[in-house]
Amino acid sequence: MFHSEADLQHSFARALWELSPDVHSRLEVPQRAGSRTEHLDLLCIGPSTRTAIEFKYFTRRWTGTAGVPAEDYALRGHAAADLARLHFVRDIARLENFCRHSDQNGLAVMLTNDPSLWTPPGTGRGRTRDREFRIHEGRELAGTLLWAEGTYKPNTCTLRAAYPLNWEPYSELAGAGGEFRYLAVPVSRVGG
């Protein structure tokens, strides 16, 4: 359980250091992207490989006590699941740009207790602006994804590889919103 995305990032980096002291981890590492600078959530530097990790922690409201030692949590509900999907897909595209060399790879991680992210949309549901950005169980992301059927071009996202999506259980806590799942999408060098 984590209070925020920053808490998740820090905890992951600390666990990595405890499990593999020879891998150095750096949070919020700047990367040049053309004329812009973007920041990687976590850069792991090993003896022969660099791994960039992007995190998303999208929560619905949950209040309770968890962990050892026990801590009180009051997770807020994020209202825009469509934007969570958009930003997760953008993370994958950013990681593809990071993986320009054979010694670089990436991992996009989403942790959530919002079932709308892992559940396929219902059959009677109309078209939504984020239809091509859905990240539910069993979906595969690939190619050029259009936001609102291409009517809002700034959100268009092109992926160079195909990414099958498989959600895994993370934790089960008491009460509504207590089921957490994660999605981990590995990204490696694409093309020459």
Side-chain angles (χ1 to χ4, degrees):
M1 176 65 69
F2 305 98
H3 295 283
S4 65
E5 187 172 301
D7 186 23
L8 169 61
Q9 293 169 356
H10 173 78
S11 296
F12 190 98
R14 182 174 177 191
L16 175 66
W17 180 79
E18 289 172 358
L19 292 170
S20 298
D22 61 329
V23 176
H24 300 278
S25 58
R26 301 289 182 263
L27 293 164
E28 295 297 323
V29 177
Q31 299 289 302
R32 300 285 300 156
S35 61
R36 298 184 340 243
T37 299
E38 297 178 337
H39 290 81
L40 296 172
D41 286 344
L42 180 66
L43 180 60
C44 305
I45 305 166
S48 61
T49 305
R50 291 175 174 247
T51 301
I53 304 175
E54 288 292 327
F55 296 94
K56 290 291 177 265
Y57 186 52
F58 185 85
T59 56
R60 63 183 274 200
R61 184 181 280 293
W62 183 83
T63 303
T65 302
V68 177
E71 285 186 67
D72 291 330
Y73 291 85
L75 301 181
R76 67 186 187 128
H78 295 95
D82 58 344
L83 296 179
R85 294 178 188 102
L86 170 68
H87 295 304
F88 186 74
V89 172
R90 281 185 175 168
D91 280 351
I92 295 170
R94 287 180 61 223
L95 290 169
E96 283 185 339
N97 289 331
F98 172 79
C99 299
R100 292 182 301 266
H101 305 286
S102 60
D103 65 341
Q104 295 175 316
N105 59 54
L107 184 66
V109 177
M110 165 78 78
L111 177 61
T112 185
N113 64 338
D114 187 338
S116 72
L117 293 173
W118 67 71
T119 305
T123 55
R125 180 147 185 170
R127 290 173 116 37
T128 59
R129 65 184 180 166
D130 69 327
R131 185 175 67 86
E132 294 187 15
F133 290 78
R134 300 294 259 173
I135 58 172
H136 55 269
E137 174 64 30
R139 173 103 199 287
E140 181 176 89
L141 296 173
T144 298
L145 306 175
L146 303 175
W147 186 263
E149 299 178 353
T151 60
Y152 189 69
K153 297 211 183 297
N155 284 355
T156 297
C157 191
T158 300
L159 301 174
R160 294 190 301 263
Y163 301 95
L165 305 179
N166 300 298
W167 287 85
E168 298 288 339
Y170 182 75
S171 66
E172 186 75 39
L173 303 169
E179 179 183 5
F180 283 78
R181 293 188 187 183
Y182 73 92
L183 174 62
V185 177
V187 178
S188 57
R189 185 172 182 213
V190 180

